[in-house]
Amino acid sequence: MEPFDFRLPTRVVFGSGSVARLPEAISGLGRKALLVTYRDGSMRTAGTLGKVVDLLDEAHVSVVVDEGVEPNPRSDYIDRLARTARKEDCSFVVGLGGGSAMDAAKAIAIAAANDTSILDYMPGGKNPFAEGVNDALPIVTVTTTAGTGSEVTRIAVIIDSKNHYKPGVVHKSLYPTVSIVDPHLMLSVPKEVTAATGIDVLFHALESYLSRYANLFSDFIAQEALRLTVANLETAFRDGSDLEARTNMAWACTLAGLSLDNANVVAIHGIGQCIGGHTDAPHGKTMAALGPAYLGYTYKSSPARYARIAQLLGTPAEGLTEAELAERSSAALREFLAKFDLDISASSLGVTESMIPTIAKEAFLTLQPLMDSSLACLDEADAAQILRLSM
Ligand SMILES: [Fe+2]
C-alpha cells in the first residue's frame, strides 16, 4: 500500500432540517456576519434567506446581507464585498446558496483578512499561491444545491474581471469552519439546475478517481459518490420533491467534494473552467460537453480505472475484457448524460473553432495542476484535440 494523507477539516452538519442547528453551529464565531447570496432573489423568494437571517438573529449575530452574487462570481465583486466586510467589522462570512455563493464567501473572507484584492492570489497576481498571508475570516456555508462540494474544499473559483480567466484560489484557510448541508433546502431547485449541478458531482467523483493523486481514501469515497449519483440523480431530476433522492445527492456531493479536495480533479475541469470564463456557460454543462471526448481520448492511460468507471456508469462487464470495458467508458458517460439532455457539444455552449487554441493555452496557464493530474500526460495540443472532439 502506498502511503498517503487526507484532510477533513470542516464540520459538516448534514441532514433534512439541519439548518435549524445554525445558531449552535456558529457559536463563538463572533457577533457580526457578512452574508452573501444570489442576485436573482431566489433565496429570498424561497424563504431561505429570511430563515437564515432569523437563525443568525436567534444566535445574537447581526448580519449585513448582500444579494449580489452572480453565477461565476467576478473579482471586482469580491473586492467590493471584502471592503464592506472590513468597513462593517464583520468577524465571519456566510455563503448562502450553491457553488457561486459559497466560493464568493470564501474569496471575500481571505481578501478581507488581508486587506487586498483577490487578484493578488490568482495567476499573474502578486502572490498566486497565497503564501504567508493571514488566514481567511471564518467561513460558514449553507448550501442549497448538490453540485460543487465547495462546502468541504479549500478552493474558491473566481473569474478575473479583466481577462476572463477562471482559476481557483486555493488556501488552507478556505475550508469552511462549518457547513450546513440540508437537503430540505434543495427541494425547490429547478430541474435544469438539478441536472447541471448533479453532473458536476458526477465529474468530481469520476475525475478524482482518474487522477494521478488518487489514494485509498479518495478512491473509496469517489466510487461511492459516483454510485449514489448514478442511482439517484435521475429521480431527483424527474421529481425534485423526492427527499430521499435529494438527500442521497447531497451526500454524494459532499463525498465528491472531499474526494476532489484530496485527489484533485483533472483536465475536464481544467479545460471546462476556461470555457466557463469565456462563455459564462454553467459549470456542469462545460463538464458534460467535454467528458465523453476526454474519456475517449485518454482511456488507454489506465484500462483498469476506466473500466471501473464504465461499470459504475452501468455498463455490464460480462463478456468484455478490461480494455474493452475501458473503451466503453466514453459511450457509457454519453448515455448517462443523455438522460438529462446533457449530451451536448462545446459549440452549443458558444465555443468557436477560433477559441480552441486560446482555451487550450489558458488551461495550462491558469490551471496547470489540474491538467497535470490527468493519468494521461497531456500538452496543449492534446487539450486542443479534446476540445475539437467535443465540438
Ligand atoms: Fe466542478
Side-chain angles (χ1 to χ4, degrees):
M1 186 190 295
E2 291 283 322
F4 62 97
D5 64 275
F6 59 89
R7 293 169 294 264
L8 298 162
T10 297
R11 178 184 174 196
V12 177
V13 182
F14 186 93
S16 182
S18 59
V19 72
R21 294 171 61 195
L22 187 64
E24 170 261 315
I26 59 169
S27 167
L29 295 185
R31 288 276 165 251
K32 193 171 187 182
L34 172 68
L35 183 154
V36 292
T37 192
Y38 292 127
R39 171 170 283 186
D40 66 8
S42 55
M43 290 297 113
R44 183 177 287 273
T45 311
T48 312
L49 175 59
K51 189 185 289 182
V52 169
V53 169
D54 286 349
L55 289 162
L56 289 166
D57 187 50
E58 195 183 303
H60 308 293
V61 170
S62 63
V63 57
V64 177
V65 173
D66 186 88
E67 292 175 86
V69 177
E70 292 178 290
N72 299 321
R74 291 172 188 276
S75 53
D76 48 6
Y77 173 75
I78 301 304
D79 290 348
R80 183 162 60 77
L81 268 292
R83 288 193 293 275
T84 302
R86 289 182 70 83
K87 195 173 92 199
E88 296 281 348
D89 204 17
C90 296
S91 51
F92 63 105
V93 185
V94 182
L96 168 63
S100 298
M102 292 189 276
D103 286 2
K106 291 173 167 186
I108 291 163
I110 195 165
N114 290 280
D115 195 14
T116 188
S117 167
I118 196 67
L119 289 173
D120 284 359
Y121 309 138
M122 288 163 66
K126 287 182 207 153
N127 184 1
F129 300 104
E131 282 167 355
V133 305
N134 296 331
D135 282 352
L137 300 178
I139 297 154
V140 174
T141 76
V142 179
T143 176
T144 61
T145 62
T148 69
S150 192
E151 65 272 16
V152 289
T153 74
R154 72 208 133 125
I155 307 162
V157 178
I158 301 295
I159 293 184
D160 183 329
S161 304
K162 289 199 296 283
N163 58 21
H164 307 289
Y165 291 169
K166 192 185 174 188
V169 177
V170 182
H171 193 260
K172 61 180 172 35
S173 70
L174 294 184
Y175 286 109
T177 304
V178 180
S179 285
I180 306 284
V181 184
D182 183 346
H184 199 77
L185 302 180
M186 302 172 187
L187 295 176
S188 59
V189 175
K191 207 168 175 173
E192 199 186 349
V193 180
T194 300
T197 51
I199 288 301
D200 195 25
V201 174
L202 178 101
F203 277 100
H204 294 159
L206 177 151
E207 289 181 60
S208 51
Y209 189 74
L210 297 179
S211 164
R212 66 176 63 238
Y213 301 108
N215 57 50
L216 280 182
F217 173 74
S218 67
D219 280 352
F220 179 65
I221 55 179
Q223 290 181 83
E224 176 64 358
L226 192 47
R227 186 193 70 76
L228 282 168
T229 303
V230 170
N232 291 280
L233 183 56
E234 203 173 351
T235 307
F237 177 66
R238 302 215 177 280
D239 176 11
S241 66
D242 189 313
L243 186 60
E244 189 182 343
R246 292 286 195 189
T247 302
N248 285 333
M249 281 309 301
W251 182 226
C253 174
T254 300
L255 290 177
L258 288 171
S259 179
L260 86 89
D261 191 73
N262 281 277
N264 224 350
V265 277
V266 297
I268 305 174
H269 263 72
I271 304 169
Q273 280 182 208
C274 294
I275 293 178
H278 281 272
T279 65
D280 247 357
H283 178 70
K285 285 192 175 182
T286 64
M287 306 298 125
L290 289 164
Y294 178 85
L295 295 187
Y297 194 78
T298 60
Y299 72 90
K300 288 179 183 160
S301 58
S302 173
R305 286 194 171 256
Y306 284 71
R308 180 70 185 136
I309 290 291
Q311 278 184 281
L312 285 164
L313 287 168
T315 309
E318 209 176 318
L320 295 177
T321 64
E322 188 176 81
E324 286 166 340
L325 253 182
E327 188 176 2
R328 295 207 183 174
S329 60
S330 173
L333 177 58
R334 201 179 283 287
E335 276 166 37
F336 187 74
L337 293 169
K339 293 180 182 175
F340 311 97
D341 303 322
L342 285 172
D343 179 12
I344 54 176
S345 64
S347 44
S348 75
L349 302 178
V351 178
T352 60
E353 203 62 42
S354 64
M355 288 161 77
I356 288 177
T358 311
I359 291 172
K361 189 173 182 183
E362 277 179 21
F364 281 93
L365 186 70
T366 65
L367 291 159
Q368 178 119 26
L370 274 53
M371 303 305 289
D372 292 346
S373 296
S374 297
L375 288 166
C377 288
L378 301 175
D379 60 18
E380 257 181 65
D382 295 310
Q385 187 58 17
I386 291 165
L387 267 163
R388 261 180 223 109
L389 293 168
S390 309
M391 296 291 278

